Amino acid sequence: MAFPITRMRRLRRTESLRALVRETSLEPGDLIYPLFLCPGKSLRREVPSMPGVFNLSVDEAVREAEEAGSLGVGGLLLFGLPESKDDQATGAWGDDGIVQQGLRALKQSSAAKKLVLMADVCLCEYMSHGHCGVVIEAHGGWDVDNDASLDLLARTAGSLARAGADVVAPSDMMDGRVAAIRRALDDEGCSQTPILSYASKFASAFYGPFREAADSAPQFGDRKTYQMDGANLREALREIELDIAEGADMILMKPAMPYLDVVRAARERFDLPMGAYQVSGEYSMLQAAFQKGWLDPARAMMESLVGIRRAGADFIVTYFAKEAAKLLG
Ligand code: PBG
């Protein structure tokens, strides 16, 4: 039945009609808010390339978490800036690590009842060289040793779970890390701690501002031998399949906006819960346009988030979590 019987504009006439036929929902509980924890007290240091994002001492992070919880945000994703770095990433797996301290404090706060506390599992923030695994000399140069990194990653996940993480989220992209982490969690009495695997993570320029926020830029080379090539969709599906086989409970895909086709393809192929990470560069480029007055902040933010949900993500990790929750609430 074509025009003039069919008129698509009929159902767009009023906001209530548009709301009735809206296909995709977005709720505060779908949003996960990343926090960057740093040593100290009463510290709130804004990240220059990420307006509105801060390095927070644990006491400030608790305040931030309580606010996010009262806005209905679904959870937090915790990253850490350690006191010092070394070549074994001691700060990642030590029980007195900054994220472990943060988790213990958050567990005591009222925020813990409302928010899922997720802890990122990676070594780059804690390694003096800034790579996500153990660096060794190899064929006259260097390499990130996959298997030697697994032990440290598993130890990190165990320590974070014991400190109170509700979910551990490995983002390192070493092969076999999900299985290694599952084994360590089960051995340490954390068989109920789920793994959210960053199964499909591309080597992306859009992580630039994060590396300023987390002080985690590699001191030499890049991450292309462990993170995926941005041109590959089938490879992403294989990565996801392997992580599921190793025991991932949920998967995370990142970046989001330049890879929405990957989110859609994964949604159609796999049935476990899936999230997408609207990464730092996606946030920063929108913020830059807002500052210039080139985009309407509220509308552009919401459109970017609804697009990710429409592509098939159940939840979204986003630095806009609080702002979006305010508008939705
Ligand atoms: C750690 C990690 C990174 C991000 C999440 N976990 C940085 C990287 O891989 O270089 C990026 C998140 C963002 O850009 O917001 N490996």
Side-chain angles (χ1 to χ4, degrees):
M1 213 73 82
F3 178 83
I5 305 292
T6 299
R7 288 181 181 270
M8 296 303 283
R9 290 182 56 191
R10 275 185 208 122
L11 294 177
R12 297 178 198 146
R13 204 168 47 79
T14 66
E15 176 49 29
S16 27
L17 275 170
R18 291 192 292 272
L20 183 73
V21 300
R22 192 158 290 142
E23 299 173 29
T24 305
S25 69
L26 179 66
E27 288 170 28
D30 304 331
L31 307 174
I32 307 292
Y33 188 39
L35 292 184
F36 298 97
L37 308 182
C38 68
K41 243 194 139 6
S42 313
L43 270 177
R44 231 184 138 72
R45 235 178 7 236
E46 192 164 29
V47 179
S49 55
M50 300 181 74
V53 174
F54 299 83
N55 289 169
L56 301 167
S57 53
V58 168
D59 53 329
E60 287 291 324
V62 168
R63 296 226 314 234
E64 194 75 11
E66 282 169 348
E67 194 191 345
S70 67
L71 289 166
V73 166
L76 303 178
L77 179 60
L78 303 176
F79 296 94
L81 292 92
E83 199 93 56
S84 62
K85 302 177 192 253
D86 55 41
D87 62 4
Q88 290 298 308
T90 312
W93 46 265
D95 286 336
D96 56 351
I98 182 68
V99 174
Q100 285 84 347
Q101 291 175 36
L103 281 165
R104 284 190 289 267
L106 287 163
K107 273 286 165 203
Q108 305 280 314
S109 76
S110 62
K113 282 177 211 71
K114 299 192 182 142
L115 297 164
V116 178
L117 302 181
M118 302 184 173
D120 186 83
V121 176
C122 198
L123 306 177
C124 58
E125 298 119 89
Y126 309 92
M127 286 287 198
S128 33
H129 47 64
H131 279 287
C132 301
V134 175
V135 168
I136 52 162
E137 282 179 46
H139 17 82
W142 59 276
D143 194 14
V144 173
D145 185 334
N146 191 86
D147 300 10
S149 306
L150 297 182
D151 176 50
L152 297 184
L153 291 162
R155 245 194 270 178
T156 302
S159 169
L160 292 165
R162 277 183 275 115
D166 297 316
V167 173
V168 292
S171 67
D172 52 282
M173 289 300 279
M174 298 302 127
D175 289 319
R177 92 287 199 179
V178 174
I181 289 172
R182 185 69 271 157
R183 220 174 301 121
L185 291 172
D186 291 355
D187 286 350
E188 294 179 40
C190 300
S191 62
Q192 291 297 318
T193 305
I195 300 174
L196 166 63
S197 166
Y198 290 67
S200 158
K201 175 168 176 178
F202 292 92
S204 172
F206 289 92
Y207 306 149
F210 172 95
R211 293 180 189 169
E212 181 176 51
D215 185 27
S216 68
Q219 299 303 300
F220 48 86
D222 55 39
R223 304 209 200 289
K224 289 182 184 165
T225 69
Y226 42 104
Q227 298 179 352
M228 277 187 295
D229 187 310
N232 296 354
L233 168 64
R234 293 191 302 264
E235 184 186 3
L237 298 175
R238 286 190 71 201
E239 280 281 5
I240 295 168
E241 201 158 35
L242 288 166
D243 282 11
I244 295 172
E246 287 181 30
D249 299 280
M250 304 184 276
I251 56 169
L252 190 60
M253 282 159 288
K254 72 187 269 197
M257 198 151 73
Y259 298 88
L260 290 178
D261 57 324
V262 181
V263 176
R264 168 52 42 200
R267 176 73 294 161
E268 279 165 13
R269 175 106 53 115
F270 304 108
D271 288 330
L272 77 182
M274 287 183 0
Y277 196 146
Q278 181 180 52
V279 299
S280 56
E282 300 176 61
Y283 175 83
S284 296
M285 68 183 178
L286 287 169
Q287 285 290 351
F290 300 162
Q291 287 188 353
K292 291 223 172 229
W294 288 348
L295 288 173
D296 178 293
R299 291 186 54 208
M301 168 177 76
M302 285 306 180
E303 194 173 330
S304 73
L305 295 171
V306 168
I308 297 167
R309 287 266 301 135
R310 193 189 58 243
D314 299 309
F315 55 92
I316 306 172
V317 181
T318 173
Y319 302 96
F320 287 123
K322 254 177 34 179
E323 288 314 303
K326 276 181 205 161
L327 281 182
L328 293 167

